[in-house]
Amino acid sequence: MAHHHGFSLGLPDNLVFTHELLDILEDKISRLCCLFCEKLFRDRMVLKEHMRKKKHKQLNPKNTQYDKFYVINYMGLGQDWQTVQTTLEAEDDRQDRDLLEDTDNETDNDENSKDWGDWREEGEEEGEKAVCLFCTMPLTLQRLLDHMKVRTHLSLGTFSVGNIFSAGNII
C-alpha cells in the first residue's frame, strides 16, 4: 500500500491482526469513505483526489477503532498508545540527560582527562593540508604553492596564502 498508493499504515512489525485491519479498510474504501476524516464521497475518483490533496494517506491517530491493530497499545496495560508513547519518549529524554550528566561529571584521572590537542600522526607537519591538482600529493599550503610552481611553472604565490579557495577558483 505504501509503495503503490502512498498510504502508510506503519511498519509491518508494529501491526497485529492485519487481515482484520485490511478487511475494515477495504470495507471503508468500497463505501467511498475517507480513511482519515471518515467523510463519504460520491465516487472513487473524488475520494482519491480528496485523500491526495488533504494528505489523508494515513489512518487518523485519534480514531480509537484502529488501536487494537497496533502493538504499542499492548505495551502498557490499561493505557492508550498516546500515554505509552509519551512515557517512552520521557524515558528516552531522561536517559539522554543522564548520559550528558555522566560526561560532564567525569573525574579528572589519567584516562578521562587526556589532552589530545598536541597529538599528531608520526611525520605529520603543522598546518592544514591541501592536495595538488595534478598528482594528488597532500601538502601544507606553502609547500603546495612551491610544488605547483615547480610542477606547472605557474606561480600561485601572488595569491594570499590564507585563502586557498580563491586560488582554487582561479585554477
Side-chain angles (χ1 to χ4, degrees), residues 16-168:
V16 292
F17 310 117
T18 53
H19 293 293
E20 186 179 345
L21 174 61
L22 292 174
D23 289 342
I24 290 171
L25 298 179
E26 182 182 24
D27 178 58
K28 285 189 177 191
I29 293 292
S30 66
R31 289 185 291 120
L32 304 175
C33 178
C34 175
L35 299 174
F36 189 86
C37 67
E38 306 284 326
K39 289 182 182 176
L40 295 174
F41 292 88
R42 59 183 155 86
D43 66 27
R44 197 173 190 87
M45 288 308 294
V46 174
L47 171 62
K48 186 177 173 181
E49 197 62 22
H50 160 81
M51 291 179 73
R52 185 185 65 78
K53 283 185 177 179
K54 295 286 187 172
K55 299 192 184 344
H56 286 183
K57 295 181 178 185
Q58 61 183 348
L59 298 179
N60 188 346
K62 294 179 182 175
N63 188 340
T64 58
Q65 175 187 9
Y66 303 116
D67 285 355
K68 82 176 213 173
F69 302 109
Y70 289 91
V71 171
I72 193 167
N73 294 304
Y74 299 97
M75 293 177 71
L77 296 175
Q79 297 177 335
D80 65 350
W81 71 269
Q82 293 160 327
T83 307
V84 172
Q85 185 70 29
T86 304
T87 305
L88 291 172
E89 288 172 357
E91 191 175 306
D92 286 346
D93 290 344
R94 188 178 65 248
Q95 287 175 351
D96 289 346
R97 278 193 310 275
D98 290 348
L99 209 104
L100 285 173
E101 287 175 8
D102 287 346
T103 56
D104 289 343
N105 296 331
E106 285 183 347
T107 57
D108 287 336
N109 60 32
D110 288 338
E111 286 186 33
N112 291 331
S113 65
K114 289 182 180 175
D115 179 19
W116 294 89
D118 62 344
W119 183 72
R120 301 237 185 282
E121 287 287 337
E122 197 172 312
E124 183 179 356
E125 299 178 42
E126 193 65 36
E128 291 187 31
K129 302 255 180 167
V131 177
C132 174
L133 298 173
F134 299 99
C135 65
T136 66
M137 181 183 293
L139 298 166
T140 61
L141 188 55
Q142 188 57 52
R143 284 191 167 205
L144 179 63
L145 292 174
D146 295 338
H147 172 77
M148 293 288 286
K149 186 175 182 180
V150 170
R151 174 106 162 103
T152 65
H153 306 293
L154 180 65
S155 177
L156 299 175
T158 56
F159 301 109
S160 104
V161 172
N163 193 348
I164 189 71
F165 296 110
S166 297

